[in-house]
Amino acid sequence: MSTDETPTDAEAACFEAGIKFGTLYHQFAGTPISPDSASSLATAMEEAIENQPHCTDVTVDVRIDELEAALAASTADYTELTGRFLEVEIVVDYEGCEVRTRMEMEDGYPLMRIESIHGR
C-alpha cells in the first residue's frame, strides 16, 4: 500500500485483529493463574476482547498441562500468565471481510498469525 492509498477492508480487518491480540496479550500477561482459576480467567479474556469493535468471536484455551508442569516445579499454588499457557483464536469482521487469527506456541514462542481472510 502506498502512502496515498486507502487501506483495503482486508488490511483494516488484519489491523483490527492485531489490536485485539496486542490488547489480549499485554492486558492479561502477568495475571496470577492456577488450574482452579484457568477457566474463569479464559472466559474473562474472551468477554473483554469481544467487547472491542469488529470482534465477532474469541476463544481462549488455557494449556492446563503446561500450567500444571510449571506449578510442579514451584512451591506456589499459582504462577503468572504468559503466552506459553494459551492458545487463542480471534475472529474479526470488518465491512464484510472476516479475518481468523490464532496464537499458539511455535518453537517455544507464542506466535500470533493470520489463519485466513474471507470477503472483500
Side-chain angles (χ1 to χ4, degrees), residues 17-31 41-42 44-50 52 58-61 81 83 86-90 103 112:
I19 294 296
K20 280 39 166 180
F21 263 119
T23 301
L24 180 137
Y25 194 90
H26 294 292
Q27 179 176 343
F28 291 98
T31 300
L41 182 56
M45 293 170 75
E46 291 169 351
E47 291 177 359
I49 301 308
E50 285 176 346
Q52 293 186 34
V58 179
T59 304
V60 175
D61 291 317
L81 181 67
L86 298 175
E87 290 185 358
V88 180
E89 182 174 280
I90 297 176
M103 181 183 82
M112 301 169 197

Side-chain angles (χ1 to χ4, degrees), residues 4-117:
D4 61 337
E5 291 180 19
T6 302
T8 66
D9 289 344
E11 290 167 334
C14 290
F15 174 80
E16 288 291 338
I19 294 296
K20 280 39 166 180
F21 263 119
T23 301
L24 180 137
Y25 194 90
H26 294 292
Q27 179 176 343
F28 291 98
T31 300
I33 187 170
S34 70
D36 291 339
S37 68
S39 177
S40 62
L41 182 56
T43 299
M45 293 170 75
E46 291 169 351
E47 291 177 359
I49 301 308
E50 285 176 346
N51 283 325
Q52 293 186 34
H54 312 293
C55 191
T56 59
D57 190 42
V58 179
T59 304
V60 175
D61 291 317
V62 177
R63 301 175 65 205
I64 297 295
D65 55 333
E66 287 291 320
L67 182 57
E68 289 174 342
L71 291 173
S74 170
T75 58
D77 294 334
Y78 72 94
T79 190
E80 293 181 355
L81 181 67
T82 67
R84 75 179 189 180
F85 301 125
L86 298 175
E87 290 185 358
V88 180
E89 182 174 280
I90 297 176
V91 180
V92 168
D93 188 312
Y94 181 85
E95 301 294 324
C97 183
E98 182 184 89
V99 173
R100 291 189 172 272
T101 58
R102 182 165 195 75
M103 181 183 82
E104 60 190 351
M105 292 301 291
E106 187 170 305
D107 297 327
Y109 184 79
L111 185 65
M112 301 169 197
R113 67 173 163 269
I114 297 169
E115 292 285 302
S116 65
I117 302 172

